[in-house]
Amino acid sequence: MNSYRPETVCVQGGYTPGNGEPRQIPIIQSTTFKYATSEDMGKLFDLEASGYFYTRLQNPTNDYVAAKIAALEGGTAGMLTSSGQAANFFAMFNIASCGDHIVSSSSIYGGTFNLMSVTMARMGIETTFVSPDCTEEELNAAFRPNTKCVFGETIANPALTVLDIEKFARAAHAHGVPLIVDNTFPTPVGCRPIEWGADIVTHSTTKYMDGHGVAVGGAIVDSGKFDWFASADRFPGLTTPDESYHGITYAEKFGLAGAFITKCTAQLMRDFGSIQSPQHAFYLNLGLESLHVRMPRHCENGQAVAEFLAAHPKVASVTYCGLPGDKYHELAKKYLPNGSCGVVSFELEGGREAASVFMKNLKLAAIETHVADARTCCLNPASSTHRQMTDEQLAAAGVPAGLVRMSCGLESKEDLIEDIAQALEAI
Ligand SMILES: *Cc1c(COP(=O)(O)O)cnc(C)c1O
Protein backbone atom coordinates (compact mmCIF):
# COMPACT_ATOMS: atom_id res chain seq x y z
CA MET A 1 0.00 0.00 0.00
CA ASN A 2 3.00 2.29 0.59
CA SER A 3 3.61 2.57 -3.15
CA TYR A 4 0.17 4.02 -3.90
CA ARG A 5 -0.57 7.74 -4.08
CA PRO A 6 -1.87 9.42 -0.90
CA GLU A 7 -5.46 9.52 -2.20
CA THR A 8 -5.47 5.74 -2.54
CA VAL A 9 -3.79 5.24 0.83
CA CYS A 10 -6.43 7.45 2.49
CA VAL A 11 -9.16 5.15 1.20
CA GLN A 12 -7.55 1.72 1.30
CA GLY A 13 -4.28 1.92 3.25
CA GLY A 14 -3.53 -0.04 6.40
CA TYR A 15 -6.04 -2.85 5.93
CA THR A 16 -6.28 -5.43 3.17
CA PRO A 17 -9.01 -7.96 3.89
CA GLY A 18 -8.59 -11.57 2.85
CA ASN A 19 -11.17 -13.77 1.18
CA GLY A 20 -14.57 -13.42 2.87
CA GLU A 21 -13.32 -10.96 5.49
CA PRO A 22 -15.04 -7.65 6.32
CA ARG A 23 -14.53 -5.01 3.65
CA GLN A 24 -14.47 -2.22 6.23
CA ILE A 25 -11.97 -2.24 9.11
CA PRO A 26 -13.71 -4.24 11.84
CA ILE A 27 -14.08 -2.77 15.33
CA ILE A 28 -12.46 -5.37 17.56
CA GLN A 29 -14.42 -4.41 20.66
CA SER A 30 -12.56 -6.74 22.98
CA THR A 31 -10.25 -5.96 25.84
CA THR A 32 -8.54 -9.32 25.63
CA PHE A 33 -7.60 -12.18 23.31
CA LYS A 34 -7.68 -15.95 23.78
CA TYR A 35 -4.75 -18.40 23.62
CA ALA A 36 -4.51 -22.18 23.71
CA THR A 37 -1.45 -22.44 25.93
CA SER A 38 0.40 -20.32 28.46
CA GLU A 39 3.53 -20.81 26.37
CA ASP A 40 1.85 -19.14 23.36
CA MET A 41 0.92 -16.16 25.48
CA GLY A 42 4.32 -16.05 27.16
CA LYS A 43 5.97 -15.49 23.78
CA LEU A 44 3.83 -12.39 23.28
CA PHE A 45 4.77 -11.01 26.69
CA ASP A 46 8.44 -11.52 25.87
CA LEU A 47 7.99 -9.78 22.47
CA GLU A 48 9.20 -13.07 20.97
CA ALA A 49 6.08 -13.33 18.81
CA SER A 50 3.74 -10.60 17.58
CA GLY A 51 0.06 -10.77 18.42
CA TYR A 52 -2.58 -9.37 20.71
CA PHE A 53 -3.23 -10.08 24.35
CA TYR A 54 -4.62 -6.95 25.96
CA THR A 55 -6.05 -3.84 24.28
CA ARG A 56 -4.13 -1.42 26.53
CA LEU A 57 -1.04 -2.45 24.54
CA GLN A 58 -2.39 -3.19 21.10
CA ASN A 59 -5.67 -3.78 19.32
CA PRO A 60 -6.10 -4.84 15.65
CA THR A 61 -8.49 -1.97 14.79
CA ASN A 62 -6.00 0.57 16.09
CA ASP A 63 -3.13 -1.12 14.30
CA TYR A 64 -4.91 -1.02 10.92
CA VAL A 65 -5.59 2.70 11.31
CA ALA A 66 -2.07 3.43 12.61
CA ALA A 67 -0.64 1.58 9.61
CA LYS A 68 -2.70 3.80 7.29
CA ILE A 69 -1.41 6.98 8.98
CA ALA A 70 2.17 5.65 8.86
CA ALA A 71 1.80 4.95 5.13
CA LEU A 72 0.35 8.43 4.55
CA GLU A 73 3.33 10.03 6.27
CA GLY A 74 5.83 7.77 4.50
CA GLY A 75 6.95 6.20 7.80
CA THR A 76 7.84 2.64 8.72
CA ALA A 77 5.68 2.21 11.85
CA GLY A 78 2.90 4.01 13.67
CA MET A 79 0.72 3.85 16.77
CA LEU A 80 -2.45 5.52 17.97
CA THR A 81 -2.83 7.26 21.30
CA SER A 82 -5.88 8.48 23.22
CA SER A 83 -5.17 12.14 22.35
CA GLY A 84 -2.71 14.44 20.63
CA GLN A 85 -1.35 15.36 24.07
CA ALA A 86 -0.50 11.70 24.74
CA ALA A 87 1.12 11.41 21.28
CA ASN A 88 3.47 14.34 21.88
CA PHE A 89 4.28 13.27 25.43
CA PHE A 90 5.02 9.68 24.37
CA ALA A 91 7.09 10.75 21.36
CA MET A 92 9.35 12.88 23.57
CA PHE A 93 9.38 10.75 26.73
CA ASN A 94 10.29 7.66 24.69
CA ILE A 95 13.78 9.14 24.29
CA ALA A 96 14.09 11.86 26.97
CA SER A 97 14.28 11.01 30.68
CA CYS A 98 14.93 12.82 33.95
CA GLY A 99 18.05 14.94 33.54
CA ASP A 100 17.62 15.33 29.79
CA HIS A 101 16.92 18.35 27.63
CA ILE A 102 14.76 19.21 24.61
CA VAL A 103 15.01 22.03 22.07
CA SER A 104 11.61 23.23 20.87
CA SER A 105 10.15 25.91 18.67
CA SER A 106 8.40 28.42 20.92
CA SER A 107 5.51 28.67 18.46
CA ILE A 108 3.52 25.58 19.39
CA TYR A 109 0.12 24.54 20.72
CA GLY A 110 -0.55 25.88 24.24
CA GLY A 111 -1.19 22.39 25.61
CA THR A 112 2.16 21.16 24.33
CA PHE A 113 3.93 24.25 25.67
CA ASN A 114 2.39 23.56 29.07
CA LEU A 115 3.28 19.86 28.88
CA MET A 116 6.93 20.71 28.28
CA SER A 117 7.38 23.84 30.38
CA VAL A 118 5.46 22.63 33.45
CA THR A 119 4.72 18.91 33.56
CA MET A 120 7.81 17.50 31.86
CA ALA A 121 9.90 20.03 33.77
CA ARG A 122 8.51 18.41 36.96
CA MET A 123 9.83 15.10 35.62
CA GLY A 124 13.28 16.65 35.31
CA ILE A 125 13.20 17.22 31.55
CA GLU A 126 14.13 20.77 30.66
CA THR A 127 13.14 22.50 27.42
CA THR A 128 14.81 25.44 25.69
CA PHE A 129 12.31 27.29 23.50
CA VAL A 130 13.66 29.01 20.41
CA SER A 131 11.86 31.29 17.98
CA PRO A 132 10.88 29.42 14.80
CA ASP A 133 12.47 32.35 12.96
CA CYS A 134 15.84 32.03 14.73
CA THR A 135 19.08 31.84 12.76
CA GLU A 136 20.89 28.50 12.46
CA GLU A 137 23.48 29.92 14.82
CA GLU A 138 20.89 30.68 17.50
CA LEU A 139 19.31 27.28 16.98
CA ASN A 140 22.64 25.44 17.29
CA ALA A 141 23.44 27.40 20.46
CA ALA A 142 20.35 25.95 22.18
CA PHE A 143 21.77 22.38 22.21
CA ARG A 144 23.43 20.79 25.23
CA PRO A 145 25.27 17.51 25.69
CA ASN A 146 22.05 16.06 27.23
CA THR A 147 19.70 17.24 24.45
CA LYS A 148 17.60 14.30 23.20
CA CYS A 149 15.31 15.73 20.52
CA VAL A 150 14.05 18.81 18.71
CA PHE A 151 10.34 19.62 18.51
CA GLY A 152 8.20 21.86 16.29
CA GLU A 153 4.81 22.13 14.54
CA THR A 154 4.57 22.28 10.73
CA ILE A 155 1.87 24.97 11.06
CA ALA A 156 1.64 26.14 14.65
CA ASN A 157 -1.71 26.23 16.44
CA PRO A 158 -2.79 29.01 16.97
CA ALA A 159 0.01 31.33 15.77
CA LEU A 160 -0.07 29.84 12.21
CA THR A 161 3.71 30.15 11.85
CA VAL A 162 5.25 27.75 9.31
CA LEU A 163 8.23 25.71 10.52
CA ASP A 164 11.37 25.67 8.39
CA ILE A 165 11.58 21.88 8.73
CA GLU A 166 14.89 21.57 6.87
CA LYS A 167 16.55 24.16 9.13
CA PHE A 168 15.36 22.37 12.28
CA ALA A 169 16.28 18.93 10.87
CA ARG A 170 19.80 20.08 9.97
CA ALA A 171 20.42 21.36 13.48
CA ALA A 172 18.95 18.24 15.10
CA HIS A 173 21.03 15.89 12.95
CA ALA A 174 24.21 17.93 13.42
CA HIS A 175 23.79 17.23 17.16
CA GLY A 176 22.90 13.55 16.72
CA VAL A 177 19.25 13.83 17.77
CA PRO A 178 15.92 13.32 15.94
CA LEU A 179 13.47 16.01 14.89
CA ILE A 180 9.88 15.45 16.04
CA VAL A 181 7.28 17.36 14.03
CA ASP A 182 3.63 17.76 15.03
CA ASN A 183 1.91 17.69 11.63
CA THR A 184 -1.67 18.15 12.89
CA PHE A 185 -2.69 21.21 10.87
CA PRO A 186 -1.52 20.39 7.34
CA THR A 187 -1.99 16.60 7.67
CA PRO A 188 0.07 14.41 5.31
CA VAL A 189 -2.19 15.59 2.48
CA GLY A 190 -0.61 19.06 2.75
CA CYS A 191 2.92 18.22 3.93
CA ARG A 192 4.96 15.09 4.66
CA PRO A 193 7.62 16.28 7.12
CA ILE A 194 9.64 13.06 6.77
CA GLU A 195 10.45 14.06 3.17
CA TRP A 196 12.03 17.25 4.56
CA GLY A 197 14.12 15.53 7.22
CA ALA A 198 11.78 14.99 10.18
CA ASP A 199 12.40 11.69 11.97
CA ILE A 200 9.20 11.31 13.97
CA VAL A 201 5.80 12.79 13.17
CA THR A 202 2.94 13.27 15.63
CA HIS A 203 -0.72 14.15 15.25
CA SER A 204 -3.73 15.27 17.15
CA THR A 205 -6.10 13.15 15.06
CA THR A 206 -8.89 15.05 16.83
CA LYS A 207 -8.48 17.77 14.19
CA TYR A 208 -8.60 17.31 10.39
CA MET A 209 -7.87 13.57 10.38
CA ASP A 210 -11.12 12.87 12.22
CA GLY A 211 -12.46 16.09 10.74
CA HIS A 212 -16.03 15.74 12.00
CA GLY A 213 -15.54 16.67 15.64
CA VAL A 214 -16.42 13.21 16.97
CA ALA A 215 -13.32 11.57 18.49
CA VAL A 216 -10.32 12.82 20.48
CA GLY A 217 -7.19 10.93 19.45
CA GLY A 218 -3.51 11.06 18.55
CA ALA A 219 -0.91 9.26 16.46
CA ILE A 220 2.87 8.81 16.31
CA VAL A 221 4.74 7.80 13.15
CA ASP A 222 8.42 6.83 12.93
CA SER A 223 10.32 7.45 9.70
CA GLY A 224 12.65 4.55 10.50
CA LYS A 225 15.49 6.78 9.29
CA PHE A 226 17.09 7.89 12.53
CA ASP A 227 20.19 5.84 13.33
CA TRP A 228 19.99 5.25 17.09
CA PHE A 229 23.32 3.41 17.07
CA ALA A 230 25.13 6.38 15.54
CA SER A 231 24.32 8.26 18.79
CA ALA A 232 24.17 5.13 20.95
CA ASP A 233 25.33 6.84 24.15
CA ARG A 234 22.52 9.37 23.90
CA PHE A 235 19.78 6.78 23.47
CA PRO A 236 20.52 3.91 25.85
CA GLY A 237 16.79 3.10 25.98
CA LEU A 238 16.97 1.94 22.37
CA THR A 239 20.54 0.68 22.15
CA THR A 240 21.02 -1.21 25.44
CA PRO A 241 18.99 -4.09 26.93
CA ASP A 242 15.56 -3.37 28.47
CA GLU A 243 15.49 -5.31 31.73
CA SER A 244 11.69 -5.03 31.84
CA TYR A 245 11.65 -7.15 28.65
CA HIS A 246 14.25 -9.80 29.42
CA GLY A 247 17.13 -7.84 28.03
CA ILE A 248 15.75 -6.99 24.58
CA THR A 249 17.67 -4.24 22.78
CA TYR A 250 14.99 -2.51 20.72
CA ALA A 251 17.15 -1.09 17.92
CA GLU A 252 18.80 -4.47 17.49
CA LYS A 253 15.77 -6.72 17.64
CA PHE A 254 13.31 -4.51 15.73
CA GLY A 255 15.75 -2.58 13.53
CA LEU A 256 15.58 1.13 12.83
CA ALA A 257 12.18 0.64 11.15
CA GLY A 258 10.44 -0.72 14.25
CA ALA A 259 12.48 0.14 17.34
CA PHE A 260 10.95 3.49 18.31
CA ILE A 261 7.28 2.47 18.04
CA THR A 262 7.86 -0.97 19.62
CA LYS A 263 9.60 0.61 22.62
CA CYS A 264 6.91 3.28 22.88
CA THR A 265 4.18 0.61 22.88
CA ALA A 266 5.95 -1.92 25.08
CA GLN A 267 7.02 0.56 27.75
CA LEU A 268 4.95 3.74 27.65
CA MET A 269 1.61 2.33 26.57
CA ARG A 270 2.11 -0.54 29.01
CA ASP A 271 2.87 1.82 31.90
CA PHE A 272 0.82 4.94 31.17
CA GLY A 273 -2.16 3.55 29.27
CA SER A 274 -3.54 6.28 26.97
CA ILE A 275 -4.63 3.84 24.28
CA GLN A 276 -7.20 5.04 21.76
CA SER A 277 -10.41 3.03 21.94
CA PRO A 278 -11.06 0.79 18.90
CA GLN A 279 -14.40 2.59 18.45
CA HIS A 280 -12.56 5.92 18.15
CA ALA A 281 -10.03 4.39 15.76
CA PHE A 282 -12.98 3.33 13.58
CA TYR A 283 -14.36 6.88 13.55
CA LEU A 284 -10.87 8.19 12.81
CA ASN A 285 -10.62 5.87 9.84
CA LEU A 286 -13.92 7.18 8.43
CA GLY A 287 -12.35 10.63 8.56
CA LEU A 288 -9.15 9.43 6.91
CA GLU A 289 -11.10 7.90 4.02
CA SER A 290 -12.08 11.40 2.86
CA LEU A 291 -9.10 13.41 4.17
CA HIS A 292 -7.68 13.97 0.67
CA VAL A 293 -11.07 15.23 -0.54
CA ARG A 294 -11.73 17.45 2.48
CA MET A 295 -8.33 19.14 2.91
CA PRO A 296 -8.30 20.97 -0.44
CA ARG A 297 -11.77 22.33 0.37
CA HIS A 298 -10.71 23.50 3.85
CA CYS A 299 -7.73 25.25 2.21
CA GLU A 300 -9.88 26.79 -0.53
CA ASN A 301 -12.35 28.16 2.03
CA GLY A 302 -9.53 29.40 4.28
CA GLN A 303 -7.88 31.18 1.37
CA ALA A 304 -11.14 32.81 0.21
CA VAL A 305 -12.05 33.98 3.72
CA ALA A 306 -8.50 35.29 4.33
CA GLU A 307 -8.58 37.26 1.07
CA PHE A 308 -12.00 38.72 1.87
CA LEU A 309 -10.92 39.75 5.39
CA ALA A 310 -7.63 41.24 4.18
CA ALA A 311 -9.55 43.65 1.95
CA HIS A 312 -12.12 44.67 4.60
CA PRO A 313 -11.77 48.09 6.30
CA LYS A 314 -12.90 46.83 9.72
CA VAL A 315 -10.10 44.22 9.79
CA ALA A 316 -6.73 45.44 11.09
CA SER A 317 -4.68 42.42 10.01
CA VAL A 318 -4.99 38.83 8.79
CA THR A 319 -2.65 35.92 9.48
CA TYR A 320 -2.80 33.18 6.85
CA CYS A 321 0.29 31.83 5.10
CA GLY A 322 -1.61 31.54 1.81
CA LEU A 323 -1.71 35.36 1.56
CA PRO A 324 1.20 36.80 -0.46
CA GLY A 325 1.94 39.44 2.23
CA ASP A 326 2.08 36.90 5.08
CA LYS A 327 5.37 36.55 6.95
CA TYR A 328 5.39 32.80 6.25
CA HIS A 329 4.24 32.90 2.63
CA GLU A 330 7.63 31.89 1.20
CA LEU A 331 7.99 28.94 3.60
CA ALA A 332 4.41 27.95 2.81
CA LYS A 333 5.19 27.93 -0.93
CA LYS A 334 8.04 25.53 -0.22
CA TYR A 335 6.50 23.21 2.35
CA LEU A 336 2.76 23.58 1.63
CA PRO A 337 2.45 24.03 -2.13
CA ASN A 338 -1.06 22.57 -2.20
CA GLY A 339 -2.46 24.80 0.56
CA SER A 340 -2.01 25.03 4.31
CA CYS A 341 -5.22 24.56 6.30
CA GLY A 342 -8.59 26.16 6.95
CA VAL A 343 -7.58 28.13 10.04
CA VAL A 344 -7.32 31.91 9.63
CA SER A 345 -6.72 34.43 12.37
CA PHE A 346 -7.48 38.14 12.15
CA GLU A 347 -7.58 41.21 14.32
CA LEU A 348 -10.62 43.45 14.27
CA GLU A 349 -10.35 47.22 14.55
CA GLY A 350 -12.15 47.99 17.80
CA GLY A 351 -10.65 45.27 20.00
CA ARG A 352 -12.56 43.03 22.40
CA GLU A 353 -15.93 44.77 21.96
CA ALA A 354 -15.80 44.59 18.18
CA ALA A 355 -14.89 40.91 18.40
CA SER A 356 -17.79 40.26 20.75
CA VAL A 357 -20.33 42.00 18.48
CA PHE A 358 -18.89 40.28 15.41
CA MET A 359 -19.07 36.81 16.89
CA LYS A 360 -22.55 37.31 18.33
CA ASN A 361 -23.80 38.15 14.85
CA LEU A 362 -22.30 35.18 13.03
CA LYS A 363 -24.95 32.68 11.96
CA LEU A 364 -22.89 29.87 10.41
CA ALA A 365 -19.68 30.02 12.43
CA ALA A 366 -20.23 28.70 15.94
CA ILE A 367 -18.23 29.83 18.96
CA GLU A 368 -16.18 26.79 19.98
CA THR A 369 -12.91 25.76 21.57
CA HIS A 370 -12.05 23.64 18.58
CA VAL A 371 -10.58 23.83 15.10
CA ALA A 372 -10.32 21.72 11.99
CA ASP A 373 -13.80 20.34 11.79
CA ALA A 374 -16.34 20.19 8.94
CA ARG A 375 -18.37 23.01 10.54
CA THR A 376 -16.90 26.51 10.64
CA CYS A 377 -16.14 27.69 14.15
CA CYS A 378 -14.38 30.61 15.76
CA LEU A 379 -12.94 31.81 19.03
CA ASN A 380 -11.93 35.15 20.53
CA PRO A 381 -9.02 34.22 22.82
CA ALA A 382 -9.38 37.49 24.81
CA SER A 383 -12.87 36.55 25.98
CA SER A 384 -12.30 32.79 26.34
CA THR A 385 -8.98 30.91 26.60
CA HIS A 386 -7.03 34.07 27.58
CA ARG A 387 -9.79 35.94 29.45
CA GLN A 388 -7.78 36.36 32.66
CA MET A 389 -5.33 38.65 30.83
CA THR A 390 -5.50 42.43 30.54
CA ASP A 391 -5.38 44.11 27.11
CA GLU A 392 -1.71 44.98 27.74
CA GLN A 393 -0.82 41.39 28.67
CA LEU A 394 -2.69 40.12 25.62
CA ALA A 395 -0.76 42.43 23.31
CA ALA A 396 2.54 41.30 24.86
CA ALA A 397 1.58 37.65 24.31
CA GLY A 398 0.86 38.33 20.64
CA VAL A 399 -2.86 37.73 21.16
CA PRO A 400 -4.48 41.17 20.74
CA ALA A 401 -7.90 41.66 22.34
CA GLY A 402 -9.61 41.92 18.94
CA LEU A 403 -8.09 38.70 17.60
CA VAL A 404 -10.47 36.10 16.21
CA ARG A 405 -9.36 32.62 15.18
CA MET A 406 -11.67 31.16 12.58
CA SER A 407 -11.54 27.55 11.43
CA CYS A 408 -13.16 27.38 8.01
CA GLY A 409 -15.20 24.25 7.54
CA LEU A 410 -16.53 22.61 4.41
CA GLU A 411 -19.55 24.85 3.79
CA SER A 412 -19.91 27.03 0.67
CA LYS A 413 -17.24 29.73 0.74
CA GLU A 414 -19.79 32.23 -0.60
CA ASP A 415 -22.10 31.52 2.36
CA LEU A 416 -19.19 31.82 4.80
CA ILE A 417 -18.12 35.16 3.35
CA GLU A 418 -21.70 36.51 3.33
CA ASP A 419 -22.05 35.49 6.97
CA ILE A 420 -18.77 37.19 7.89
CA ALA A 421 -19.71 40.30 5.88
CA GLN A 422 -23.05 40.77 7.67
CA ALA A 423 -21.42 40.20 11.08
CA LEU A 424 -18.76 42.81 10.28
CA GLU A 425 -21.57 45.22 9.28
CA ALA A 426 -23.03 44.86 12.77
CA ILE A 427 -19.89 46.25 14.44
C1 LIG B 1 -5.09 20.07 19.45
C2 LIG B 1 -3.65 19.94 19.27
C3 LIG B 1 -2.88 19.12 20.11
C4 LIG B 1 -3.49 18.37 21.28
O1 LIG B 1 -4.33 17.38 20.79
P1 LIG B 1 -5.55 16.72 21.64
O2 LIG B 1 -6.05 15.70 20.68
O3 LIG B 1 -6.51 17.83 21.92
O4 LIG B 1 -4.96 16.16 22.88
C5 LIG B 1 -1.53 18.99 19.86
N1 LIG B 1 -0.94 19.65 18.85
C6 LIG B 1 -1.66 20.46 18.02
C7 LIG B 1 -0.95 21.16 16.90
C8 LIG B 1 -3.02 20.62 18.19
O5 LIG B 1 -3.70 21.43 17.37
Side-chain angles (χ1 to χ4, degrees):
M1 232 357 116
N2 270 333
S3 58
Y4 286 101
R5 291 170 182 78
E7 294 84 347
T8 306
V9 178
C10 277
V11 182
Q12 296 209 25
Y15 171 68
T16 310
N19 226 7
E21 287 179 356
R23 184 69 184 101
Q24 178 56 291
I25 293 178
I27 306 170
I28 306 298
Q29 193 70 47
S30 182
T31 55
T32 190
F33 300 82
K34 170 187 176 285
Y35 287 91
T37 70
S38 300
E39 289 72 26
D40 289 346
M41 189 179 280
K43 286 192 189 117
L44 301 180
F45 271 92
D46 290 352
L47 303 181
E48 279 305 318
S50 63
Y52 298 95
F53 55 95
Y54 190 56
T55 286
R56 168 155 41 79
L57 281 111
Q58 274 184 295
N59 173 285
T61 309
N62 291 25
D63 282 359
Y64 294 136
V65 180
K68 175 179 284 190
I69 296 173
L72 280 172
E73 288 288 3
T76 54
M79 66 193 280
L80 300 187
T81 57
S82 55
S83 67
Q85 284 300 108
N88 281 326
F89 172 59
F90 277 23
M92 293 186 272
F93 198 65
N94 204 31
I95 44 178
S97 303
C98 183
D100 289 340
H101 174 254
I102 293 170
V103 174
S104 174
S105 163
S106 58
S107 186
I108 53 173
Y109 179 65
T112 312
F113 181 81
N114 211 55
L115 166 68
M116 297 163 95
S117 63
V118 179
T119 302
M120 288 176 69
R122 278 176 54 205
M123 298 171 155
I125 300 169
E126 209 184 323
T127 302
T128 299
F129 293 98
V130 295
S131 160
D133 310 326
C134 66
T135 63
E136 301 222 8
E137 223 171 19
E138 288 164 337
L139 184 51
N140 284 318
F143 286 80
R144 301 179 190 169
N146 59 342
T147 302
K148 295 300 163 85
C149 62
V150 178
F151 183 88
E153 291 177 8
T154 317
I155 301 174
N157 176 14
L160 304 178
T161 52
V162 178
L163 189 75
D164 188 344
I165 302 172
E166 284 192 314
K167 178 176 79 178
F168 275 73
R170 251 193 321 274
H173 297 160
H175 293 86
V177 302
L179 171 63
I180 302 174
V181 172
D182 180 332
N183 197 34
T184 296
F185 266 25
T187 83
V189 170
C191 178
R192 307 212 309 166
I194 290 171
E195 290 173 355
W196 299 101
D199 301 285
I200 290 139
V201 174
T202 57
H203 282 279
S204 165
T205 62
T206 317
K207 313 293 165 56
Y208 289 115
M209 281 191 168
D210 162 7
H212 298 79
V214 295
V216 172
I220 307 172
V221 172
D222 180 19
S223 68
K225 287 182 179 162
F226 191 81
D227 186 353
W228 306 107
F229 286 114
S231 316
D233 294 348
R234 242 181 236 268
F235 302 108
L238 284 146
T239 59
T240 61
D242 175 4
E243 292 316 325
S244 73
Y245 270 112
H246 313 292
I248 282 173
T249 299
Y250 292 99
E252 223 167 67
K253 185 156 175 74
F254 300 100
L256 299 184
F260 187 86
I261 295 295
T262 306
K263 175 179 184 291
C264 204
T265 302
Q267 292 178 343
L268 302 188
M269 204 54 97
R270 176 194 64 187
D271 297 350
F272 288 108
S274 314
I275 193 78
Q276 188 166 134
S277 85
Q279 184 82 38
H280 276 194
F282 179 82
Y283 293 139
L284 167 56
N285 183 58
L286 291 181
L288 291 170
E289 287 184 1
S290 64
L291 185 66
H292 59 301
V293 182
R294 293 184 289 107
M295 284 314 289
R297 184 58 174 266
H298 279 293
C299 295
E300 186 187 325
N301 286 0
Q303 184 75 31
V305 164
E307 285 171 10
F308 172 79
L309 289 166
H312 200 285
K314 288 185 180 169
V315 177
S317 65
V318 181
T319 301
Y320 188 73
C321 65
L323 292 177
D326 190 85
K327 188 175 173 193
Y328 295 96
H329 189 60
E330 289 308 312
L331 284 175
K333 279 203 287 193
K334 174 177 174 178
Y335 292 110
L336 305 156
N338 302 320
S340 57
C341 63
V343 184
V344 179
S345 71
F346 54 99
E347 187 187 351
L348 291 172
E349 301 279 8
R352 200 186 299 251
E353 256 152 75
S356 161
V357 173
F358 170 73
M359 293 186 37
K360 202 160 35 196
N361 280 281
L362 287 167
K363 294 189 171 70
L364 282 175
I367 300 170
E368 281 174 35
T369 312
H370 190 45
V371 288
D373 156 356
R375 289 153 292 259
T376 296
C377 60
C378 62
L379 188 81
N380 169 226
S383 57
S384 55
T385 49
H386 295 59
R387 68 177 291 125
Q388 75 286 358
M389 291 183 169
T390 64
D391 284 9
E392 291 69 38
Q393 287 172 324
L394 285 167
V399 189
L403 191 83
V404 176
R405 181 185 69 183
M406 182 171 279
S407 170
C408 299
L410 299 173
E411 304 91 341
S412 143
K413 64 186 173 203
E414 287 80 12
D415 284 340
L416 290 180
I417 288 171
E418 282 169 25
D419 188 31
I420 293 167
Q422 64 81 25
L424 286 169
E425 275 317 301
I427 299 174

